[in-house]
Amino acid sequence: MRITLTLRWRSRILIGKALPRTARRHWNRGNDRLMSGAGRNRQRGGQKPSGSQEKHGRRDRGGPGAGTKGGSPKRYEKNGSGVGRRNERAGRSDQDKRGELRDRGNGRATPIRGSGSSKGAAESRGGKGVSGVNSYPLLPMGRIKGEWMDIRLPDDLAGAPMSAIGKHLPLQPKLVTRLAQNRGCLVQGSNLRLHLFPRETRDYPSDWMELNILYEDEFTLVVNKPAGIEVHPSEKGQRKTLAHAVAAYYEMTGKDLRVRHVHRIDKDTTGPVLYAKNEFAHYQYDKGMREKSIGRVYLALVEGNVEGDKGRIDKPIGQDRHHSTRRRVSETGDPAVTHYEVVERFADHTLVRLHLETGRTHQIRVHMAAINHPLAGDGLYGGKRGIIARQALHGERLIWHHPWTGEKQSAVAPLPDDFLQALNKLRIQ
């Protein structure tokens, strides 16, 4: 006896278990037809079988032509990285698609292959070969003509949109967007013009004083700060700071620039101070300060005999509650790390060279006082002023990287006269 029910196949299986043996055999044959052929293929994501396979209601998985149309198997090849890749009927490979950008102007696809190896063209200019903001090969720095930089684009980038060219520049995306909005980024065939050196309104009045310029180029100015003046005003209306002197230097040399200091040193500390001459350089140097790629090396004359030839001071620094300008070691303060090494020993003083991992206010002065070796002349932190009238602290060397090429650069500041005189006195004793 054969029973036919118009139910879904899951329901047929459940009901069929309760039927007699003979009826169950016919019931199962109906289930097999329902699960075979196109129904089973669609459930498993396959293709509709052809020929005898469909006729008998089954799908053979093995052998040539299994699961394919027309009996020919689909082939898989190995690409260079060992990953299987389907050989499609037509069209471009994924690698070709990634290597092309649509030129909106003429409708042609321009391949973007970069400009050589990952070291970039900067290496040929003596740089480190740093990459752009998005780790693409970096374009070499172009010629500077007035307020503009002219860059010759390689053939791969000629005619490409600015969104593609910007990936090969060390400019931050916000700056590229701002330049594009203000017509400060012009692409003319294979020529790129960037308005990186605009004339700016000076933000400090000029106070004329003699400056010791240690280094200067189109992006950077390094000034050797003397003792007794501050890097910038600490109160409203204050004048005669280093910022006012730099403003006067810009005016005297015909540069309409803002004064952008990258770091500070104390009023009575001497040594190099780094200035950025445009917005792009300021961004790069601020980033270098955050990533600790800008190095500062100091010389200090401390009281007492420092134990050992080198050491590391890791003590957090916070503000002194009882003194507004004083700092102290505090468990709730900001992390601060100072490395020191002995340069020369005297009877009751030691000349040390110091490297900073962090840049806390008064960090060297607080750390050396914390290990019972205050700086000579530093009355605020317990030093005596018998041999020098100010804290004996001098910035010996400043290390930074070129904003565009990444080339390592440095400036060395000679010891000031009062520091040299103090050392000579100690050597005679």
Side-chain angles (χ1 to χ4, degrees):
M1 177 179 64
R2 181 170 180 175
I3 301 175
T4 303
L5 293 176
T6 58
L7 299 174
R8 300 178 66 87
W9 66 271
R10 288 190 179 92
S11 302
R12 291 170 63 94
I13 293 175
L14 294 175
I15 298 173
K17 291 182 179 180
L19 296 176
R21 182 178 299 176
T22 304
R24 192 183 305 165
R25 186 164 52 250
H26 292 284
W27 191 281
N28 290 337
R29 288 177 183 175
N31 284 333
D32 289 341
R33 292 191 185 97
L34 186 63
M35 287 293 296
S36 64
R40 190 187 307 179
N41 256 338
R42 283 191 293 271
Q43 183 188 10
R44 296 181 181 178
Q47 295 180 342
K48 181 178 178 180
S50 59
S52 61
Q53 296 178 18
E54 186 177 13
K55 180 179 179 181
H56 295 290
R58 68 178 186 273
R59 179 184 176 191
D60 296 332
R61 297 180 180 272
T68 62
K69 185 174 181 179
S72 60
K74 289 190 176 182
R75 299 179 182 178
Y76 291 80
E77 297 178 354
K78 297 279 186 177
N79 59 15
S81 59
V83 181
R85 183 182 62 188
R86 181 171 296 185
N87 187 11
E88 299 289 351
R89 296 188 302 271
R92 300 168 298 179
S93 67
D94 292 340
Q95 184 177 1
D96 294 335
K97 293 177 183 178
R98 287 194 300 267
E100 293 184 358
L101 289 174
R102 178 65 56 187
D103 187 344
R104 298 178 182 176
N106 52 25
R108 293 178 299 176
T110 304
I112 303 299
R113 303 183 182 88
S115 47
S117 63
S118 59
K119 292 183 179 180
E123 188 175 70
S124 63
R125 302 176 60 88
K128 287 176 55 179
V130 298
S131 298
V133 175
N134 296 321
S135 298
Y136 285 83
L138 182 69
L139 288 173
M141 192 174 72
R143 296 180 59 187
I144 298 174
K145 298 180 180 179
E147 301 179 21
W148 296 80
M149 176 187 286
D150 293 345
I151 301 175
R152 180 76 175 180
L153 296 175
D155 294 339
D156 296 345
L157 290 175
M162 193 58 210
S163 59
I165 298 174
K167 297 177 181 179
H168 299 266
L169 300 173
L171 308 179
Q172 63 272 31
K174 289 184 179 179
L175 179 57
V176 175
T177 302
R178 191 179 305 117
L179 288 174
Q181 291 174 348
N182 298 326
R183 297 187 57 81
C185 189
L186 305 177
V187 181
Q188 301 171 348
S190 60
N191 293 324
L192 171 65
R193 304 197 73 203
L194 299 174
H195 195 215
L196 294 180
F197 311 95
R199 298 173 67 92
E200 300 174 309
T201 302
R202 299 187 188 96
D203 48 354
Y204 288 95
S206 298
D207 285 336
W208 302 95
M209 65 181 72
E210 185 178 356
L211 285 183
N212 181 9
I213 306 297
L214 299 177
Y215 177 86
E216 184 177 13
D217 62 18
E218 296 83 1
F219 301 95
T220 309
L221 176 71
V222 181
V223 179
N224 187 15
K225 188 187 87 65
I229 67 171
E230 298 184 45
V231 172
H232 60 84
S234 57
E235 58 185 19
K236 187 176 181 180
Q238 183 180 354
R239 298 288 295 266
K240 300 293 184 180
T241 68
L242 193 62
H244 296 92
V246 171
Y249 171 75
Y250 285 158
E251 182 179 352
M252 180 180 65
T253 55
K255 301 180 179 72
D256 295 324
L257 301 174
R258 293 176 52 201
V259 177
R260 299 179 175 91
H261 66 272
V262 178
H263 65 101
R264 297 174 295 176
I265 56 178
D266 295 339
K267 178 180 179 179
D268 288 327
T269 301
T270 56
V273 177
L274 179 64
Y275 289 89
K277 296 175 71 174
N278 59 18
E279 183 180 0
F280 160 64
H282 199 190
Y283 170 83
Q284 295 289 70
Y285 289 148
D286 279 347
K287 180 181 177 184
M289 292 292 292
R290 293 193 302 269
E291 297 177 351
K292 302 177 182 179
S293 62
I294 295 180
R296 290 165 290 170
V297 182
Y298 292 85
L299 283 175
L301 182 63
V302 301
E303 297 181 354
N305 221 330
V306 177
E307 296 182 1
D309 292 334
K310 61 177 61 178
R312 180 177 184 268
I313 306 172
D314 186 357
K315 296 179 182 293
I317 294 177
Q319 190 168 4
D320 194 328
R321 294 178 298 173
H322 307 289
H323 200 297
S324 60
T325 61
R326 181 184 168 97
R327 301 294 187 272
R328 66 184 181 89
V329 171
S330 171
E331 294 182 357
T332 59
D334 297 322
V337 179
T338 304
H339 298 268
Y340 66 88
E341 58 179 344
V342 173
V343 177
E344 188 175 355
R345 296 183 183 275
F346 306 98
D348 52 358
H349 289 80
T350 306
L351 180 65
V352 294
R353 180 173 285 114
L354 305 109
H355 305 260
L356 301 181
E357 280 191 22
T358 54
R360 308 302 174 202
T361 302
H362 298 177
Q363 177 172 322
I364 292 175
R365 300 164 66 184
V366 173
H367 273 175
M368 297 311 295
I371 62 173
N372 300 318
H373 294 289
L375 272 62
D378 191 1
L380 185 62
Y381 292 99
K384 299 176 183 178
R385 297 183 176 176
I387 196 169
I388 190 171
R390 63 174 180 91
Q391 69 257 22
L393 181 61
H394 171 69
E396 179 186 33
R397 190 180 184 193
L398 178 69
I399 304 108
W400 71 97
H401 297 278
H402 191 278
W404 192 287
T405 67
E407 181 183 3
K408 188 175 181 179
Q409 298 176 301
S410 66
V412 177
L415 280 171
D417 292 339
D418 60 345
F419 206 122
L420 285 172
Q421 292 172 5
L423 293 178
N424 290 332
K425 290 178 183 178
L426 294 174
R427 288 168 181 148
I428 294 175
Q429 293 178 359

